[in-house]
Amino acid sequence: MLSLIIILAIALAIFLGYKTKINTGLFCIVFAFIIGCFAMDLRPKDLIGFWPVNTMFVILSVSLFYNVAAINGTLEKMSGALLYSCRHFPGILPYALFAVAVILSVMGATYFTVLAFLAPITLIICDESRMDKLTGAVAINCGALAGGDFPTSNLGVVFRGLADTAYENNPDLPAIDNFGMQMKIFIFSIIFSLIIVSIFRFAMKSNRNIGKDVAFKKPEAFTAPQKTTLTLMLVMMVLVLIFPMLKVFNPNNAVIARIAGKMDVGLVAVIFVVIALLLHLAPQKEAIARIPWNTIIMIAGAGMLIAVAVEAGTIDMLSNWVSSNVPKLLIPAVFSIIAAIMSFFSSTTGVVTPALFPLIPALAATCGISAPVLFACTVLGAQSSAISPFSSGGSLILGSVPKEEERNTMFNRLLLTAVPICVLCCAAYNFLLAILM
C-alpha cells in the first residue's frame, strides 16, 4: 500500500509541476517529507541525506565548465565543424552523433561522462542543422548506453560479474560464458539503439528539414582563447578516459586502478574551470549565472522522493511480483517493462540488475528461454527509461538546454514522448528477441 502511495505521489508531483509551472522538485520534496517522516517514521536528517549530492555536484561542475566554452564560442565552432563534415549527407547527423557516443563509451568513458561531453555540443548542432533536439538527445543517450554494454566497458564488466554471481547461487546449473553473454547484449543493444534512433529520425516531422536551407559554411579558424578552451576540453577528456582504458588492459596494476578510481568527471571539471577562469577564457559571473539551478532543484527533489520509494521497499515489491506472477510467454516483455520501471526509480547497476539477475538462471532453465537473452532483456529494459529527465543522463541533457522555456519543453518531451516510446519499443523488441533466439 505504501509503495502505491509513493508511486501516486511521484505522478502527482509531475502533474502539479506541469499545471502550476512550479518546479516539480519542490513538490517532490514536500511529498518526500510527508511520506518519509510521518508515514515511514524516518528522521528528518535521514531524509535530507537522500538529497543526491553526487548528481547535483556533477551537473553543477560540468555545466560550469561547458558554460565557459559556450560563452567564448568554442562549442559553436566545434558543432560547426561536425556539421560541415556531414554537409553532403546532413540526414546522417543523428547516426554520426550515435557513433561518436558509442566509440567514447567503448573506450571506457562512463555513461555520465559521455553525456556530459556530448549534450552541450549536440544541442547546438541541432539548432544549426534544424534537427529535432529530442532526436539528438536520443542518439547520444542510446550511443552512450550501447557502447557501455561492450564486454570490457564499465557497464559490461558490472553485468558480467552479476551474471557470474547469479550462477554461483545456482550451483546445480551449468556456468555461463559471461563474455559471450555480454557480447550478445552489446550486439542486441546496438541493433535496438539503431532502431530507436531511426524511429526518432524519421517519425519526427521537424527532422524532414535537416540541413534544408542551411548554409554549410566552412567554420572559421579558432581564436586564441577558443584554441586554449578546446585544448582544455581535450585534456580533460583524456584524463577522464585514459586511466579507465589502461585499467581494462592492466586490471592487476594497483597504481592504475587507484588513479582510475579517483578520476571523477565532476571533480576533474572543477580543476579545469579554475584553469579556464585563471586564463580569463570567460567572465566568472556569466559562467555561474548560466548554471541550470532550476534543473538541479528538480532532479535533486525528485531524487529524494525516489530514495523514499527505495527505502519503502518498492523495488523489492516489483522484483518479487515478477518472480511469482509472470506467465512464461510474457517473461521477456514483462522483465523489460519491470526493469524500465525500476530503473526510473533507481540505478540500473546498483539496484535493477542486482535484483533481477538472480532470478534469471532458474527461469531460463524452467521456461526454455536462453539465459543470455533474458539477461539482455533485463539490461535493455532498464536502459530504455534512462533518458527520463529524472535520471542522471536525462538530467544532463536537460541541464544543457540553454533557455528556461526550451528546458521546460524538453522536460515534457523527454518524460512524455521519449520514455514511453523507448520503453514500449524495447518491450516489443525483447519479446521478438526471445522468440527468434
Side-chain angles (χ1 to χ4, degrees):
M1 184 63 182
L2 183 58
S3 293
L4 179 61
I5 291 173
I6 294 173
I7 293 173
L8 291 175
I10 294 172
L12 182 59
I14 295 171
F15 174 78
L16 290 174
Y18 177 78
K19 277 293 183 182
T20 64
K21 307 303 179 185
I22 296 173
N23 192 302
T24 302
L26 297 176
F27 286 111
C28 287
I29 294 173
V30 170
F31 289 136
F33 174 54
I34 294 172
I35 297 173
C37 291
F38 295 99
M40 297 172 59
D41 200 29
L42 293 174
R43 296 184 303 168
K45 183 179 180 179
D46 293 333
L47 182 66
I48 295 172
F50 290 154
W51 182 275
V53 176
N54 184 65
T55 300
M56 176 182 173
F57 178 74
V58 173
I59 295 174
L60 186 151
S61 56
V62 170
S63 65
L64 186 57
F65 176 71
Y66 278 99
N67 286 346
V68 172
I71 292 167
N72 65 24
T74 304
L75 286 182
E76 187 175 352
K77 287 278 179 70
M78 290 181 65
S79 62
L82 181 57
L83 186 61
Y84 185 72
S85 68
C86 296
R87 62 192 180 280
H88 298 302
F89 304 98
I92 69 168
L93 268 171
Y95 302 101
L97 291 168
F98 170 77
V100 172
V102 169
I103 292 170
L104 288 175
S105 287
V106 169
M107 288 171 62
T110 64
Y111 168 68
F112 209 76
T113 301
V114 175
L115 268 294
F117 281 124
L118 291 183
I121 299 172
T122 296
L123 295 177
I124 293 177
I125 289 174
C126 290
D127 276 332
E128 295 183 352
S129 66
R130 303 183 67 180
M131 180 170 70
D132 180 75
K133 289 184 178 179
L134 189 62
T135 301
V138 168
I140 59 173
N141 179 75
C142 287
L145 289 170
D149 289 337
F150 192 71
T152 58
S153 295
N154 53 89
L155 296 177
V157 170
V158 172
F159 298 146
R160 288 168 59 191
L162 289 173
D164 274 345
T165 301
Y167 273 90
E168 286 172 2
N169 294 331
N170 290 270
D172 296 335
L173 299 175
I176 192 173
D177 173 15
N178 66 17
F179 189 92
M181 173 210 76
Q182 193 58 43
M183 183 57 74
K184 287 183 179 179
I185 292 177
F186 172 68
I187 295 171
F188 296 152
S189 181
I190 290 290
I191 295 172
F192 172 68
S193 296
L194 288 172
I195 292 172
I196 289 295
V197 172
S198 297
I199 289 174
F200 281 87
R201 163 64 180 88
F202 295 104
M204 297 292 175
K205 292 182 179 179
S206 53
N207 284 328
R208 297 173 185 174
N209 296 318
I210 292 181
K212 186 177 181 180
D213 300 325
V214 175
F216 292 97
K217 297 180 181 179
K218 188 174 182 178
E220 297 179 2
F222 286 90
T223 64
Q226 290 170 348
K227 287 180 180 179
T228 304
T229 305
L230 181 58
T231 300
L232 290 178
M233 291 173 66
L234 293 175
V235 173
M236 176 178 163
M237 183 180 294
V238 169
L239 279 177
V240 174
L241 290 178
I242 189 66
F243 290 101
M245 288 176 60
L246 290 174
K247 184 180 177 182
V248 170
F249 296 104
N250 298 278
N252 298 321
N253 190 304
V255 175
I256 292 176
R258 177 177 172 79
I259 298 175
K262 305 295 184 182
M263 285 293 111
D264 178 83
V265 65
L267 293 171
V268 173
V270 171
I271 294 174
F272 283 86
V273 167
V274 173
I275 295 173
L277 295 178
L278 287 173
L279 295 174
H280 305 290
L281 298 179
Q284 173 183 284
K285 185 175 181 180
E286 186 175 353
I288 293 176
R290 291 194 182 197
I291 293 174
W293 294 109
N294 191 59
T295 300
I296 289 174
I297 293 173
M298 181 192 66
I299 299 303
M304 291 180 69
L305 185 52
I306 289 169
V308 168
V310 174
E311 188 73 18
T314 303
I315 305 303
D316 292 335
M317 179 195 73
L318 288 172
S319 60
N320 291 334
W321 182 87
V322 170
S323 62
S324 58
N325 293 284
V326 178
K328 292 180 181 179
L329 183 64
L330 298 178
I331 284 176
V334 173
F335 250 68
S336 177
I337 293 175
I338 294 298
I341 294 172
M342 291 171 68
S343 181
F344 193 90
F345 292 104
S346 56
S347 164
T348 295
T349 54
V351 176
V352 182
T353 47
L356 295 182
F357 269 31
L359 307 177
I360 290 176
L363 276 175
T366 56
C367 69
I369 299 176
S370 166
V373 169
L374 284 179
F375 282 123
C377 291
T378 305
V379 170
L380 295 180
Q383 293 179 344
S384 67
S385 62
I387 199 169
S388 159
F390 298 121
S391 71
S392 56
S395 65
L396 268 178
I397 292 171
L398 201 61
S400 300
V401 179
K403 298 179 181 178
E404 188 65 34
E405 185 177 345
E406 290 183 1
R407 202 175 293 145
N408 293 333
T409 300
M410 179 61 82
F411 174 86
N412 293 328
R413 296 191 71 198
L414 288 172
L415 184 64
L416 303 177
T417 302
V419 171
I421 289 176
C422 290
V423 170
L424 293 177
C425 286
C426 188
Y429 177 80
N430 284 333
F431 179 75
L432 293 175
L433 192 65
I435 294 176
L436 295 174
M437 300 298 292

